[in-house]
Amino acid sequence: MSAQLARPHILDPHGALDPCATCEARPVSVCNAIADTDLGRLAAIAVVTETEPGQCFIDEGEPANSFFNITAGTAKLFKLLPDGRRQITGFVGAGHFLGLAVSDTYAFSAEAIERVRFCRFQRSKLRMLLDDFPLMEKRLLEVAANELVAAQEQMLLLGRKTARERLASFLLLQSRQGMPCGHSRRRFSLPMTRSDIADYLGLTIETVSRTLTKLRSEGLIDVVSQAEIIVRNPSGLEGLAGGLC
Amino acid sequence: MSAQLARPHILDPHGALDPCATCEARPVSVCNAIADTDLGRLAAIAVVTETEPGQCFIDEGEPANSFFNITAGTAKLFKLLPDGRRQITGFVGAGHFLGLAVSDTYAFSAEAIERVRFCRFQRSKLRMLLDDFPLMEKRLLEVAANELVAAQEQMLLLGRKTARERLASFLLLQSRQGMPCGHSRRRFSLPMTRSDIADYLGLTIETVSRTLTKLRSEGLIDVVSQAEIIVRNPSGLEGLAGGLC
DNA sequence: CGGTCACTTGATCGTCTTCAATACCAGTGG
DNA sequence: CCACTGGTATTGAAGACGATCAAGTGACCG
């Protein structure tokens, strides 16, 4: 018998540390639908992985063998046109579940912006697990429903809002990122580049840059550094964004 | 005792005709996750309703008390900006389930294009029912996942495609409407107006009209009547649409 | 036959894109 | 310490695509 580490109370039956029990993303993730006592089963099929910034960990069109659950860092999801035009469909952080599509290939690509850590689940294994934990399936449905609402909001932005309105909406969204519902930060930093913002808002980097400058000159925001934003006039921004809920 | 109607074999225990057993939308709807023997419970909480074209049956921002399941006709889903700009997020037909949002108010409005028939379910009642039929919850998750994929495709369209490409994508989508996966019709009719198409594609009616004329003059399509389209060159359209899966 | 409504077509305009130059910043090596 | 480099962001000028404004067409209907 090999030497045991300390803290045997968080060892699972196989003698390894249970990563799920101590996972900092659990409170904000679908995993919280699984009781502590059953957490070992989830941990048993989770493969924790880390990626460097700029690294792609999901490729549109490839066979969809895995589900993913982000536990740290930020990634961008995007779709490409044959000629290289790109649409970023979302920025995802800790707690976000990926790969829900029913199709047998991924419908989008995912690339790490910051260093990203995630759990990878083999689809077939997770599906079996879900059969035993209907509560988690319920949570997934909730999550999917919320994402659908967000997607519709983004369609409104892309189809009908001006560049100014898009930037205002985007900045407000970022200021609420990770905050409890109804709250926001006045000061926050953007982990993504201007190019990412442009491809998320259906604009060019030049228009993003120009519009940010304009918003700054009007006193609505402050651009402390390239990545650092301060919202000077939240209600003004909200007015511009046009009733983003 | 009151007089009985004929066809007693499709009477449910309460003596009313079971609408679900004979529903023509059932094969294409989430209801097919419920076994024939349990169908009475679903029918018991379904309120069948019909709406005239142009009538709104879901209003964005109103308390979300009901789920809906379209059984006939076509409706448009849309969001509005305070100044009246509109983005149509989808056209939905028989089998489509509405109201999945977790929020306590609707995130979009729905208006009948053709005469629409749907089942209305009180949210609380359907939620209780779902607890007893996890298979239906599974189906809902599948449906939501598929809609999410479609929404991302639409974001790509709205954010990065030109007017020509948007029309091409839209026409291909319509030509596949209601067809088994991988199939499409060469000839089909559009139930919606140019204004609806414009608000779905993030364009104006003038641009939609002009672009259709252009596609016709190039021999890609034929516009038989205002509502009737024939695809003359499917692969040409697909090339334009740019890899719509 | 006049009215309405949806659609089409034309002319002009404006927002955002494209192309191009410049600024900024961190890292590297002389 | 300072030039050099590569990547990212900003700013400027010109151009294009789609929007806006406006007029005309055709179908349907009372």
Side-chain angles (χ1 to χ4, degrees):
Chain A
M1 199 167 77
S2 62
Q4 291 272 309
L5 291 168
R7 289 183 288 168
H9 57 287
I10 53 169
L11 289 178
D12 74 8
H14 305 90
L17 284 168
D18 183 340
C20 293
T22 57
C23 177
E24 61 272 20
R26 191 170 164 230
V28 294
S29 171
V30 287
C31 316
N32 64 7
I34 294 188
D36 293 26
T37 48
D38 294 322
L39 218 51
R41 287 193 53 194
L42 185 64
I45 65 168
V47 181
V48 179
T49 314
E50 284 205 5
T51 66
E52 295 303 313
Q55 196 178 334
C56 244
F57 58 96
I58 299 180
D59 288 291
E60 182 178 356
E62 293 295 304
N65 302 318
S66 301
F67 291 111
F68 300 83
N69 202 18
I70 312 274
T71 55
T74 308
K76 54 193 174 195
L77 312 181
F78 60 94
K79 292 175 71 76
L80 293 173
L81 285 171
D83 63 358
R85 277 173 291 173
R86 184 178 68 160
Q87 179 64 38
I88 293 184
T89 57
F91 299 104
V92 297
H96 201 100
F97 190 87
L98 289 176
L100 262 182
V102 177
S103 149
D104 51 354
T105 58
Y106 293 117
F108 55 84
S109 304
E111 182 184 319
I113 288 180
E114 307 162 319
R115 189 173 175 78
V116 165
R117 189 166 58 247
F118 57 81
C119 296
R120 178 192 281 266
F121 303 94
Q122 207 177 311
R123 274 175 106 90
S124 52
K125 285 184 183 170
L126 187 61
R127 241 189 278 266
M128 282 172 52
L129 194 80
L130 283 180
D131 290 337
D132 295 347
F133 297 106
L135 204 61
M136 179 149 175
E137 193 136 34
K138 247 186 170 52
R139 284 279 289 123
L140 278 178
L141 183 57
E142 275 178 33
V143 166
N146 281 330
E147 283 190 46
L148 216 41
V149 170
Q152 289 168 347
E153 188 69 44
Q154 188 69 0
M155 286 190 227
L156 177 63
L157 180 147
L158 291 169
R160 287 301 179 219
K161 289 187 182 176
T162 65
R164 282 169 66 76
E165 293 166 340
R166 293 183 200 199
L167 259 301
S169 304
F170 171 72
L171 291 175
L172 285 173
L173 198 65
Q174 290 299 313
S175 77
R176 290 170 187 150
Q177 188 70 284
M179 295 281 109
C181 184
H183 291 236
S184 67
R185 292 158 298 178
R186 295 290 283 260
R187 184 190 183 111
F188 55 92
S189 61
L190 304 170
M192 69 291 287
T193 66
R194 296 288 185 271
S195 177
D196 289 339
I197 299 174
D199 284 347
Y200 180 62
L201 299 178
L203 301 168
T204 59
I205 50 174
E206 293 94 334
T207 300
V208 170
S209 182
R210 268 187 260 271
T211 307
L212 283 178
T213 305
K214 196 106 184 293
L215 294 177
R216 194 182 53 71
S217 75
E218 293 167 352
L220 287 164
I221 60 169
D222 236 351
V223 185
V224 185
S225 75
Q226 282 182 7
E228 202 77 8
I229 301 283
I230 298 178
V231 177
R232 286 245 168 275
N233 184 350
S235 51
L237 264 194
E238 267 156 31
L240 249 184
L244 176 71
C245 41
Chain B
M1 200 166 75
S2 63
Q4 290 273 308
L5 291 168
R7 288 184 290 169
H9 57 286
I10 53 170
L11 289 178
D12 77 7
H14 306 89
L17 285 169
D18 181 341
C20 292
T22 58
C23 177
E24 62 273 20
R26 190 170 165 231
V28 295
S29 172
V30 287
C31 317
N32 63 8
I34 293 187
D36 293 25
T37 49
D38 294 322
L39 218 51
R41 287 192 54 193
L42 185 65
I45 64 168
V47 181
V48 179
T49 315
E50 285 205 3
T51 65
E52 294 304 312
Q55 195 178 334
C56 244
F57 58 96
I58 299 180
D59 288 290
E60 181 179 356
E62 292 296 303
N65 301 318
S66 300
F67 291 111
F68 301 82
N69 202 18
I70 312 274
T71 55
T74 308
K76 56 192 173 196
L77 313 181
F78 60 94
K79 291 176 72 77
L80 294 173
L81 285 171
D83 63 359
R85 278 173 290 172
R86 184 178 67 159
Q87 178 64 40
I88 293 184
T89 57
F91 299 105
V92 297
H96 202 100
F97 190 87
L98 288 176
L100 263 183
V102 178
S103 149
D104 51 353
T105 59
Y106 293 116
F108 55 84
S109 303
E111 183 183 319
I113 289 179
E114 306 162 319
R115 188 173 177 77
V116 164
R117 189 167 57 245
F118 57 82
C119 296
R120 178 193 282 263
F121 304 94
Q122 206 177 312
R123 275 175 104 89
S124 52
K125 286 184 183 171
L126 188 60
R127 243 189 277 266
M128 282 172 53
L129 194 79
L130 283 181
D131 290 338
D132 294 347
F133 298 106
L135 203 62
M136 179 150 175
E137 194 136 34
K138 246 185 172 50
R139 283 279 290 124
L140 279 177
L141 183 56
E142 275 177 33
V143 166
N146 281 330
E147 282 190 48
L148 216 42
V149 170
Q152 289 168 347
E153 188 69 44
Q154 189 69 358
M155 286 189 224
L156 176 63
L157 180 148
L158 292 169
R160 286 302 178 215
K161 289 187 183 177
T162 65
R164 283 169 65 77
E165 294 167 339
R166 292 182 200 201
L167 257 301
S169 303
F170 171 71
L171 291 175
L172 285 173
L173 197 65
Q174 290 298 313
S175 76
R176 291 170 187 150
Q177 189 71 284
M179 294 281 109
C181 184
H183 291 237
S184 68
R185 292 159 299 180
R186 295 290 284 258
R187 185 189 182 113
F188 55 92
S189 61
L190 304 170
M192 68 292 286
T193 67
R194 296 288 185 271
S195 177
D196 289 338
I197 299 174
D199 283 348
Y200 179 61
L201 299 178
L203 301 169
T204 60
I205 50 175
E206 293 95 331
T207 300
V208 169
S209 181
R210 266 187 262 272
T211 307
L212 283 177
T213 306
K214 196 106 184 294
L215 294 177
R216 194 181 53 71
S217 75
E218 293 167 350
L220 287 163
I221 61 169
D222 235 352
V223 185
V224 185
S225 74
Q226 281 182 8
E228 202 77 8
I229 302 283
I230 298 178
V231 178
R232 287 247 167 272
N233 183 350
S235 51
L237 264 195
E238 268 155 30
L240 248 183
L244 176 72
C245 39

